[in-house]
Amino acid sequence: MAIDLSSIDLKAEGEDGSFCHLYDPRTGEYLYDEDGKTEVGLFVKSIHSSTARNIVNRMARKNQGKQKPKRIATLDDQEVESAEFLSELTTGWQAVQFNGKDKFAKDVALELYRERPWIMSQVNQHAGNAANFIRKS
């Protein structure tokens, strides 16, 4: 029997978001708060979501005409854009404190991603994995 692929709607399901449990890049062990039970991580929408598409379109329009001809984007340029993109997809966090701030805000998320690329990398991988957003039947 055939599978109805229209039942898998990553644009819609990606809007619901998903929790990205962070792990220590030195040990590979998942991070927990001092209580040892609360997972440390961020809530993020999928890169397949309508929100992500709107962010990319807005960023492209903003950058249109700003690029100098034959200018090569640097790694720093790419990291800044990635951090901006992910901070827009991030909707909250749990058991996270950064530079003395524990209340979630988009500007603090942007700062976190810019200053801790290992977190940006983990969240980017999570946001790009469709399996993290597909609703279980």
Side-chain angles (χ1 to χ4, degrees), residues 82-101:
S82 292
E84 289 173 3
F85 175 67
L86 285 177
S87 69
E88 290 288 326
L89 284 183
T90 303
T91 60
W93 58 40
Q94 174 177 287
V96 169
Q97 184 181 76
F98 188 68
N99 288 338
K101 301 167 192 159

Side-chain angles (χ1 to χ4, degrees), residues 51-81:
T51 297
R53 184 179 189 89
N54 292 338
I55 293 166
V56 170
N57 288 339
R58 186 182 71 237
M59 290 174 79
R61 283 190 301 274
K62 179 180 138 185
N63 291 331
Q64 193 172 22
K66 288 187 178 179
Q67 294 289 349
K68 295 179 183 176
K70 297 185 181 178
R71 180 183 181 274
I72 298 173
T74 65
L75 182 57
D76 289 339
D77 294 336
Q78 292 173 355
E79 282 184 351
V80 166
E81 284 193 359

Side-chain angles (χ1 to χ4, degrees), residues 13 17-18 25 30 34 47 59-60 70 100 103-104 108 120 124:
E13 294 178 33
S18 175
Y30 282 106
E34 290 101 19
I47 64 167
M59 290 174 79
K70 297 185 181 178
K103 185 173 180 181
F104 173 77
V108 181
M120 183 169 59
N124 189 45

